[in-house]
Amino acid sequence: MTDGTVTSATPVTAKSVCRCCGGFCPVIATLDGSRIEKVEGNPDAPLHRGFICPKGRALATQQNDPNRLKHSLKRMPDGSFVPISKDQLIDEIAEKVRQCIEEYGPDSVASYMGNPVHEQPATAPMMVSFLEAIGSNSLYTVATIDQPGMFVSDALHGTWEGGHVPLDLLDVFLIIGGNPIISKQYANNNPGQRLKSFVGRGGKLIVIDPRRTETARRAAVHLQGIPGEDPAILAGLIHLVIKGGGTDAAFVKENATGLDALTAAVSPFTPDYVAQRAGVDPEQLRQAAQLLIEAKRGDVGSGVGPSMATRGTLSTYLSRCLITLRGFWTRPGDPARSPVLLAPWQPRAQPSAPYPAIMPDAPRKPARGIGASVAGLPLNGLLEEMMTPAKGNVCAMFMHGGAMRTWPDTRKVKEALEALDLLVVHDIEMSATARVATHVIATNTQLEVPTFSQWFESVSFTHPGWGVQEPYGLYNPALATPPPDAEIMASWEIYYHVARRLGLSLKLGRIFEDRASALPMDMEREPDTDALYALLCEGSAIPLETVKQYADGHIFEEARTKVGPRSDDCSARLELADAGMMAQLQEVATEDYHARRGTGPDFPYLFIPRRIQQTTNATYRAEGILRTPYNPAYMHGTDLAQLGLSPGDLVRIRSKNGSIVGVVESDDDLRPGVLSMTHGFGANPGDDHDPREHGANVNELLSWSDDYDPLHGQPRMGAVPVSVLPIEQEEKA
Ligand SMILES: Nc1nc2c(c(=O)[nH]1)N[C@H]1C(S)=C(S)[C@@H](COP(=O)(O)OP(=O)(O)OC[C@H]3O[C@@H](n4cnc5c(=O)[nH]c(N)nc54)[C@H](O)[C@@H]3O)O[C@H]1N2
Ligand SMILES: Nc1nc2c(c(=O)[nH]1)N[C@H]1C(S)=C(S)[C@@H](COP(=O)(O)OP(=O)(O)OC[C@H]3O[C@@H](n4cnc5c(=O)[nH]c(N)nc54)[C@H](O)[C@@H]3O)O[C@H]1N2
Ligand code: SF4
Ligand SMILES: [Mo]
């Protein structure tokens, strides 16, 4: 206390981890009894060293929120929600699941693994285990509206066992449409500081982004191109690297095929052509290529920008080709991803051959003709299926995500979700998606469940931008308890109980690992979350019990893994010229790019996605955390002036698929002609809507049928042609 009075109780602190994004920042909470007074970064945490962002600090507000969902709810026929006991909830859900399976078959029961599975790391493995037990193949994830091109291009190019060179060893890092300082993707722990020290020791950052982002400010070269032109810019860079003698000939000879075909395919992308087409300075393009050529060690990472703008697969594919051409992959002795709570492994400095990207024999047959790919089942087509009752079509869904604010084509999403016989949504608040559920499960907050670093490690094996190379392990027990008058469930629990009601046994295994290693669960005595973690850590490189001894997390030197030498019998080659990719590149080279872009008098601007520090997607937002309750529609000052608009004005934003009302904000860091807005806002169609209070749902501007990728189905979610009209003018018109 500041007045000098001595209180009897010293403040109690407890440790946990923020899971509001993939940053996995360790935190310390100060508790007064069971109430959390404040949450700060844990300065003793070995990787993050106390770093957190405003969302981490707001965990105290989240935990104490009086509007917290305290009881599970059931939707009544008139649309209202009534509280329902845990027993009744399990009964009703189990009965619906049984009916759906009986009438439409096991595949009719689906689960969606959205981003919130970060929060409660036992959830994703339980979901997989439950679907397996009921015999359903309908596991959907967020992957096909995120960066699915990454999975597909890895399949088409092949992968490097040793992985990418970590940021701290790079001379050059090219980032395409990503903004780590805000998103943490590619520098999870304190990205601002890490990029600063990278640049400080002479590292060169190259950024391709239509906005001069927080990250682009640190770049040696910022190519502020037209949205959607990443394939052309990347082909242009590859062309210059090859012409400038940047090919690591020895590396390519030993590890790759297709150099000649790639060289030919990129030859139309001369600096002048790329400059004219993509709106970049040819000199800057040459500078960027020169930095790539001069660097001994480099890496290329792509974010959601190019992924949303269509042809995300091609962009990522070309980024992988660039790494291979320059021989930028890890070499023997380099640091490798070091499993701690995963099984040990020993990667080598060698390629893994390309593998099929689409899975024609996948047991589940998705609608709309888009098949299952290495990115999983496509969300594209699922809505139509939900609206058409038929054998095998999805009629029940366990939802771990914010579909109403995160899936394209909001009106259709609502119609489809409302057509389901069963929609189970986990939540801590009555979110936009909860409002269309048949059952809302009042779920533990992240601080109410123990945490461990296995999920953080696991995702690093699917996306090079997440997780760390260090042999890092952490476990913390739950640090908060739900309010005494609440009946709350951890989000994995429903699967256990429903399986048990249906007389089924579950086997729990690590996500992304072979199901053969899954272990049987005790179906008699109900386990707790810790028992699940223990099962998930069987055979891990470091035993969970050892990790538990370090509340701040720990670097386990004994688990440090280095990239091993190439094995003598390795004959795999990375593919620089996949036929499908080369055909797409040729299409890029020969198309009428103005027509393809789709801008013109009707739709003069290009809408692009962005993220903001204060919120992750559509997840819970603590009171007061946002600068404005709405998501501003950012435009360049000259565009605003031309439209006669001032910051704060309301505008109608229209695409060929739909329209929203936005509040404009000036942002001279944007390329003129671009409208940048974050997703995850807006009221549900049909609900009261005040653009200045709820913001706008940009997914209303999108359609699943718009220019979708034939392999994984992601539709155009960025570089979308739009018109912007002041609301007053519209009213007059
Ligand atoms: N237009 C547009 N759309 C996008 C994107 C974009 O850039 N532009 N980005 C896409 C990307 S990359 C992603 S990853 C997705 C993210 O999309 P999703 O993963 O679908 O959505 P989130 O907003 O992360 O999910 C938040 C909701 O999850 C529910 N939930 C489920 N389980 C739990 C739980 O255990 N705890 C809590 N607290 N809530 C739970 C709650 O309803 C919560 O509101 O959005 C995608 N959609
Ligand atoms: N604070 C915060 N952190 C998050 C999230 C969040 O919502 N908030 N979401 C999490 C999730 S789900 C994900 S997938 C990651 C994503 O991580 P990032 O990929 O880093 O996501 P963004 O910050 O949206 O950065 C995308 C950038 O692409 C640019 N861009 C838009 N269109 C184009 C284009 O056509 N070409 C190019 N080259 N650039 C373009 C945008 O201007 C923006 O700067 O972030 C994660 N972290
Ligand atoms: S939301 Fe912020 S504090 Fe939480 S994990 Fe991400 S970066 Fe860390
Ligand atoms: Mo994402």
Side-chain angles (χ1 to χ4, degrees):
M1 311 245 330
T2 48
D3 62 1
T5 351
V6 180
T7 47
S8 54
T10 39
V12 178
T13 60
K15 290 165 184 171
S16 185
V17 171
C18 176
R19 285 150 270 166
C20 293
C21 84
F24 202 73
C25 301
V27 298
I28 297 189
T30 306
L31 297 139
D32 179 3
S34 62
R35 190 183 160 81
I36 297 187
E37 292 296 320
K38 66 174 173 189
V39 172
E40 296 165 293
N42 177 354
D44 299 320
L47 291 176
H48 297 73
R49 301 261 165 227
F51 169 79
I52 53 168
C53 83
K55 300 187 288 296
R57 281 186 285 274
L59 285 174
T61 319
Q62 169 174 333
Q63 190 61 36
N64 302 326
D65 190 334
N67 294 323
R68 156 88 185 271
L69 262 187
K70 290 193 202 156
H71 294 275
S72 295
L73 302 169
K74 166 192 180 170
R75 193 173 69 203
M76 304 305 286
D78 69 354
S80 64
F81 284 89
V82 294
I84 175 173
S85 73
K86 180 169 164 180
D87 271 344
Q88 198 190 339
L89 177 89
I90 295 164
D91 277 345
E92 288 194 9
I93 294 177
E95 179 53 22
K96 273 279 181 228
V97 166
R98 200 192 54 73
Q99 281 173 15
C100 283
I101 294 177
E102 200 174 279
E103 198 167 343
Y104 300 111
D107 278 352
S108 68
V109 179
S111 190
Y112 170 69
M113 202 187 276
N115 250 2
V117 294
H118 282 299
E119 269 188 36
Q120 306 201 25
T123 308
M126 276 297 274
M127 201 185 274
V128 170
S129 146
F130 174 74
L131 291 178
E132 180 185 66
I134 63 169
S136 168
N137 298 294
S138 300
L139 175 65
Y140 289 85
T141 78
V142 71
T144 60
I145 51 166
D146 188 333
Q147 295 150 90
M150 192 159 289
F151 295 89
V152 172
S153 58
D154 278 350
L156 301 177
H157 183 65
T159 57
W160 188 253
E161 252 190 44
H164 297 250
V165 178
L167 181 62
D168 303 324
L169 297 180
L170 298 179
D171 304 317
V172 70
F173 184 39
L174 163 60
I175 178 151
I176 312 145
N179 187 14
I181 293 187
I182 297 302
S183 72
K184 325 294 180 298
Q185 188 166 280
Y186 291 108
N188 308 169
N189 47 321
N190 202 344
Q193 191 51 47
R194 289 193 59 207
L195 288 178
K196 193 172 165 190
S197 49
F198 167 71
V199 172
R201 65 171 173 75
K204 302 288 186 228
L205 192 63
I206 306 169
V207 174
I208 307 176
D209 199 308
R211 184 166 82 91
R212 188 160 179 269
T213 60
E214 295 78 353
T215 305
R217 275 174 217 283
R218 301 201 188 284
V221 179
H222 174 204
L223 297 165
Q224 198 167 3
I226 296 172
E229 291 299 348
D230 302 292
I233 297 174
L234 286 163
L237 285 173
I238 293 177
H239 173 72
L240 285 170
V241 165
I242 295 175
K243 262 186 74 177
T247 308
D248 182 334
F251 182 87
V252 169
K253 184 159 184 277
E254 190 175 28
N255 297 296
T257 53
L259 177 61
D260 291 346
L262 179 68
T263 307
V266 297
S267 62
F269 295 90
T270 60
D272 287 341
Y273 172 73
V274 173
Q276 183 195 24
R277 170 175 182 151
V280 294
D281 173 6
E283 243 349 276
Q284 276 197 313
L285 197 70
R286 286 194 185 92
Q287 275 169 24
Q290 199 51 37
L291 290 177
L292 289 164
I293 292 171
E294 283 164 9
K296 271 186 73 179
R297 317 228 63 188
D299 195 20
V300 186
S302 59
V304 295
S307 169
M308 305 279 161
T310 77
R311 291 177 173 153
T313 308
L314 181 59
S315 295
T316 315
Y317 185 81
L318 294 174
S319 77
R320 298 292 195 260
C321 289
L322 196 43
I323 300 177
T324 300
L325 271 179
R326 289 290 302 112
F328 278 162
W329 296 108
T330 44
R331 304 296 173 105
D334 276 341
R337 303 249 151 181
S338 303
V340 170
L341 291 177
L342 296 177
W345 77 315
Q346 180 52 64
R348 293 175 172 276
Q350 66 187 37
S352 295
Y355 44 97
I358 40 175
M359 296 157 147
D361 301 328
R364 174 125 180 76
K365 294 282 171 257
R368 211 178 243 239
I370 305 158
S373 73
V374 283
L377 285 171
L379 283 178
N380 199 343
L382 178 61
L383 300 182
E384 283 88 345
E385 221 186 82
M386 287 171 166
M387 291 189 275
T388 322
K391 193 104 191 146
N393 280 5
V394 170
C395 65
M397 170 69 97
F398 289 82
M399 168 69 73
H400 290 263
M404 280 305 304
R405 286 170 158 185
T406 60
W407 290 7
D409 205 342
T410 314
R411 275 154 215 278
K412 201 168 186 178
V413 175
K414 181 162 186 264
E415 203 185 323
L417 294 182
E418 285 179 342
L420 290 169
D421 291 339
L422 176 73
L423 177 62
V424 180
V425 170
H426 288 267
D427 227 312
I428 56 171
E429 62 173 338
M430 207 52 197
S431 68
T433 308
R435 277 198 284 279
V436 298
T438 60
H439 296 81
V440 185
I441 301 187
T443 301
N444 279 122
T445 63
Q446 48 187 294
L447 298 183
E448 290 167 1
V449 290
T451 183
F452 72 149
S453 49
Q454 189 183 71
W455 180 259
F456 186 55
E457 279 187 48
S458 301
V459 288
S460 77
F461 284 87
T462 67
H463 190 304
W466 295 104
V468 284
Q469 237 87 3
E470 296 293 298
Y472 171 68
L474 176 147
Y475 166 91
N476 292 131
L479 71 65
T481 43
D485 58 338
E487 192 175 42
I488 302 284
M489 284 164 81
S491 63
W492 60 265
E493 278 186 61
I494 190 66
Y495 298 112
Y496 181 82
H497 290 295
V498 171
R500 201 155 69 167
R501 268 318 130 93
L502 296 174
L504 301 168
S505 296
L506 297 175
K507 280 173 134 185
L508 199 65
R510 286 192 275 270
I511 197 100
F512 314 127
E513 271 183 33
D514 190 346
R515 290 297 296 162
S517 57
L519 298 168
M521 290 184 70
D522 186 340
M523 300 307 290
E524 300 293 317
R525 269 194 343 230
E526 189 181 327
D528 60 10
T529 305
D530 278 316
L532 266 56
Y533 291 0
L535 265 187
L536 290 169
C537 290
E538 281 287 327
S540 61
I542 302 288
L544 179 59
E545 288 310 311
T546 311
V547 173
K548 282 185 179 178
Q549 289 163 20
Y550 303 90
D552 300 314
H554 187 68
I555 307 284
F556 293 89
E557 285 305 331
E558 61 272 40
R560 191 175 288 286
T561 310
K562 293 199 160 158
V563 178
R566 183 191 188 91
S567 87
D568 292 338
D569 59 359
C570 173
S571 59
R573 291 280 187 282
L574 301 170
E575 180 56 70
L576 288 168
D578 170 78
M581 288 291 97
M582 293 305 104
Q584 233 187 69
L585 192 55
Q586 200 190 357
E587 185 185 290
V588 176
T590 50
E591 72 191 351
D592 171 353
Y593 59 82
H594 290 291
R596 153 96 194 174
R597 193 175 295 151
T599 42
D602 289 347
F603 300 113
Y605 303 96
L606 284 174
F607 155 71
I608 60 164
R610 71 182 285 161
R611 274 155 179 71
I612 54 172
Q613 184 73 284
Q614 292 76 13
T615 173
T616 306
N617 301 315
T619 41
Y620 173 89
R621 282 158 203 156
E623 174 92 33
I625 194 168
L626 295 169
R627 267 189 232 142
T628 56
Y630 55 86
N631 49 337
Y634 291 103
M635 297 182 83
H636 194 276
T638 55
D639 286 334
L640 290 185
Q642 240 169 40
L643 287 162
L645 288 166
S646 305
D649 284 352
L650 289 184
V651 287
R652 167 78 56 190
I653 302 160
R654 207 180 282 281
S655 74
K656 66 177 182 196
N657 306 306
S659 87
I660 54 175
V661 175
V663 185
V664 288
E665 192 54 63
S666 177
D667 182 358
D668 287 350
D669 286 329
L670 273 173
R671 187 188 165 89
V674 169
L675 176 121
S676 154
M677 256 178 122
T678 188
H679 65 292
F681 284 79
N684 284 355
D687 287 1
D688 280 347
H689 177 216
D690 176 350
R692 289 199 168 89
E693 192 189 326
H694 305 104
N697 189 341
V698 295
N699 280 305
E700 294 203 41
L701 298 171
L702 312 178
S703 159
W704 292 99
S705 56
D706 188 6
D707 218 348
Y708 60 83
D709 186 287
L711 293 180
H712 51 66
Q714 183 174 34
R716 189 182 281 238
M717 296 172 72
V720 178
V722 291
S723 63
V724 179
L725 212 64
I727 283 287
E728 296 84 55
Q729 264 184 39
E730 184 191 52
E731 278 161 2
K732 274 185 225 132

